[in-house]
Amino acid sequence: MPTHTMGAVRLHEHGGPEVLRYEEVPIPEPGPGEVLVRVHAAGVNPPDWYLRGGLTRMPGEPESTVSLPVIPGTDVSGVVEAVAADVDGFDVGDEVFGLLRFPSFHGSAYAEYVAAPASDLARKPAGIDHVHAAGAPMAGLTAWQFLIDPGHDHPSPFQDARHRPTALDADTTVLVNGAAGGVGHFALQLAKWKGARVVAVASGAHEPFLRDLGADRFIDYTKSRAEELVHDVDLVVDTVGGPGSKRFLRTLKRGGAQFPVLPGDFDEEETAKLGVTVSSAQVRSNGAQLAELGRLLDAGTVRVAIDSTFALADARAAHERAARGHIQGKIVLTVAQ
């Protein structure tokens, strides 16, 4: 076994990026059903900055289970260092990636080692490096569970009905708002994989990137309003969400659906009148689905775009980058080996 301490990023109080502290902490012990992963890279995701800012209760949880200090982070790619006695399917030395313990704030991924539930992990695609693999789990599984297969029957905390993806094929048109971001660029590519026509909405600087990923039509939201230009789409995936999300309803044909990745502000009477469905899901850790996505990543069918990388000790700078916005793909923390 390695030495008994590791570098990790923790927060001892909530606040801005400056509360992220890199320090020495004990290496965790894998419990039943877990493996110890030596982390090569960790993805940066919105729940990390929500936790840092003071959100300590996941939607749907009755109360907070977070106690400070806490190590943020959910997305890792690395190498199996130790395996609990009851774990089959992974061996020491295997390269793995995963979304850990989501939905919860107990992923503890911003660290040199992490104890990970084996069921949350998949083998890292051989065709991509750890940085790209670490950018995939949360954003990729969010797109997968919204568009392809929820993979679970847990009710969403945001709605009563179970989320059902829309059938995607050559006869469907999908509008992706926020197409250059983490979830957006995966949603675009998964829709293209299924044969759909994709309208990508983002700021103009991202047009070459999104065309390269397969966007059939591009709309620069800084210059025009998608809801005035686009009509009769089958599905809107809005990765931006918020109160403005409902303006996209008028781009849909009757029978169409809008999937707000973040809860929006919708009027049930209006959606009923338009004959459309609004549905949301909450992403959950799922090693089996990640293995399916991993096959697409290995084949190059789906690519992970990396916005920027920062050393683990520079997590503060990574969060400052996230706060500036206009991100193209994923921000990833790297761990020196």
Side-chain angles (χ1 to χ4, degrees):
M1 279 297 287
T3 52
H4 297 295
T5 65
M6 64 174 181
V9 173
R10 296 201 295 183
L11 45 118
H12 295 255
E13 59 185 330
H14 298 286
E18 71 283 351
V19 303
L20 297 170
R21 281 166 44 182
Y22 184 73
E23 52 201 11
E24 289 290 314
V25 302
I27 292 178
E29 291 277 329
E34 295 180 352
V35 302
L36 183 68
V37 176
R38 182 178 178 126
V39 178
H40 284 241
V44 175
N45 290 291
D48 309 352
W49 57 85
Y50 300 158
L51 171 62
R52 188 204 74 218
L55 178 74
T56 60
R57 187 179 68 83
M58 277 282 157
E61 280 183 2
E63 58 200 29
S64 167
T65 53
V66 173
S67 56
L68 298 177
V70 63
I71 302 172
T74 58
D75 279 7
V76 295
S77 183
V79 177
V80 175
E81 187 88 20
V83 181
D86 62 341
V87 170
D88 292 319
F90 293 110
D91 296 307
V92 171
D94 285 348
E95 294 190 322
V96 293
F97 73 137
L99 166 65
L100 306 185
R101 305 176 192 281
F102 203 82
S104 84
F105 287 117
H106 302 296
S108 303
Y110 287 16
E112 292 184 316
Y113 293 88
V114 65
S119 60
D120 292 354
L121 298 173
R123 289 180 190 279
K124 179 187 80 65
I128 63 173
D129 62 18
H130 287 289
V131 167
H132 288 77
M138 176 172 280
L141 283 174
T142 299
W144 189 275
Q145 291 173 13
F146 267 90
L147 293 179
I148 310 298
D149 175 25
H152 61 79
D153 53 10
H154 295 270
S156 165
F158 309 116
Q159 66 187 37
D160 295 329
R162 187 179 167 186
H163 176 73
R164 299 195 189 284
T166 295
L168 299 176
D169 57 33
D171 296 327
T172 46
T173 300
V174 180
L175 182 148
V176 181
N177 185 43
V183 175
H185 89 291
F186 283 114
L188 186 169
Q189 293 179 84
L190 289 174
K192 291 302 297 178
W193 171 57
K194 287 291 186 183
R197 181 171 177 271
V198 177
V199 181
V201 181
S203 66
H206 297 304
E207 181 170 5
F209 165 63
L210 294 169
R211 294 275 188 196
D212 188 49
L213 291 183
D216 298 282
R217 185 175 176 190
F218 175 81
I219 295 173
D220 179 351
Y221 73 82
T222 68
K223 294 190 173 148
S224 34
R225 299 180 70 79
E227 67 274 19
E228 290 168 6
L229 297 177
V230 183
H231 302 287
D232 291 327
V233 304
D234 299 278
L235 174 64
V236 169
V237 180
D238 182 13
T239 72
V240 181
S245 193
K246 60 176 176 281
R247 71 180 188 275
F248 290 106
L249 290 173
R250 65 186 97 151
T251 67
L252 290 166
K253 63 173 65 159
R254 289 192 81 78
Q258 180 157 333
F259 296 167
V261 173
L262 300 166
D265 176 20
F266 295 91
D267 176 343
E268 283 183 28
E269 280 184 25
E270 184 190 7
T271 55
K273 201 168 79 184
L274 292 169
V276 298
T277 307
V278 174
S279 180
S280 185
Q282 183 178 46
V283 65
R284 301 188 86 87
S285 299
N286 189 315
Q289 287 181 325
L290 202 55
E292 290 188 67
L293 181 61
R295 286 191 275 279
L296 297 179
L297 294 170
D298 219 1
T301 307
V302 173
R303 308 204 304 267
V304 185
I306 300 300
D307 175 87
S308 47
T309 60
F310 297 84
L312 179 63
D314 294 333
R316 172 183 176 167
H319 278 229
E320 288 168 343
R321 166 72 193 108
R324 289 196 300 274
H326 295 290
I327 293 163
Q328 186 166 287
K330 296 294 301 177
I331 301 168
V332 175
L333 302 172
T334 59
V335 182
Q337 298 305 311

